[in-house]
Amino acid sequence: PVTLVGSGLEKIAVATFGSGISVGRVTRSPGALTVDVRVEAQTEPGIHTVRAGAAAATIPVYRQLDAINVTPAFAIARLGGGKTPPVVAQFEALGTSRLADGTLMPIGPVAATWATQPFDDEAKRTQDEKFAGAIDSTGQFHPAGAGPNREREFAGNNVGNLKVSARSAEGLAADAHLIVTVQRWNNSPIY
């Protein structure tokens, strides 16, 4: 199913997805139109135009996922504690598919399994992955509480230098860099 989101969609009788894509059951709700679609085997991969009433948008049609990238490629999260909340970092796996002419077509977000590892030898030595926090199944990194931490060298804080890895169901993988740093104590004024 494909869900179209917008205003006035409950009044739309049908949506079209272009040549080679047939529309089945349509479910309407305020602000959304969910459509079961079937893509014919001979449909050429590429960007197709979706029309619902006077509105139009595009959707990628593809046969296989050829690569993924993690965005952002670099992020910063901040430890939390006391009256200072943690600052999480959100990652997303973006898929691409190779078209017949060799170009990579962006597909958009794809499901992935997420993990963290030490970014370098020093991060491995200081066990940053153990102390800095954890990443959940949606790609959101949740930093640990602020230190000092007596389990760490010099009772250091729970900071970290991590590699964030995403792996798709197809076995494609990509990485990003994450710095987990200390709390922000001084908020700059907003002008």
Side-chain angles (χ1 to χ4, degrees), residues 42-181:
Q42 73 278 5
T43 302
E44 192 65 32
I47 302 295
H48 285 240
T49 301
V50 179
R51 297 192 188 285
T58 59
I59 190 170
V61 174
Y62 59 97
R63 289 195 172 89
Q64 78 281 334
L65 188 63
D66 290 312
I68 64 171
N69 292 303
V70 175
T71 186
F74 175 79
I76 296 175
R78 289 185 178 273
L79 302 173
K83 294 182 180 181
T84 305
V87 177
V88 301
Q90 180 67 57
F91 294 91
E92 201 169 42
L94 300 178
T96 56
S97 182
R98 191 168 302 282
L99 297 177
D101 66 2
T103 60
L104 285 173
M105 174 182 66
I107 294 170
V110 296
T113 302
W114 295 93
T116 58
Q117 296 125 20
F119 186 77
D120 57 18
D121 289 339
E122 180 62 13
K124 185 175 183 178
R125 185 189 74 74
T126 57
Q127 300 179 310
D128 288 1
E129 182 184 11
K130 177 180 176 182
F131 296 109
I135 195 162
D136 67 20
S137 62
T138 68
Q140 188 171 83
F141 183 84
H142 301 270
N149 184 343
R150 292 184 184 181
E151 293 183 41
R152 297 202 82 173
E153 186 176 34
F154 308 117
N157 218 324
N158 290 321
V159 297
N161 186 10
L162 302 175
K163 177 169 66 170
V164 173
S165 300
R167 181 173 294 278
S168 72
E170 296 80 3
L172 301 169
D175 300 322
H177 188 184
L178 171 66
I179 297 292
V180 182
T181 190

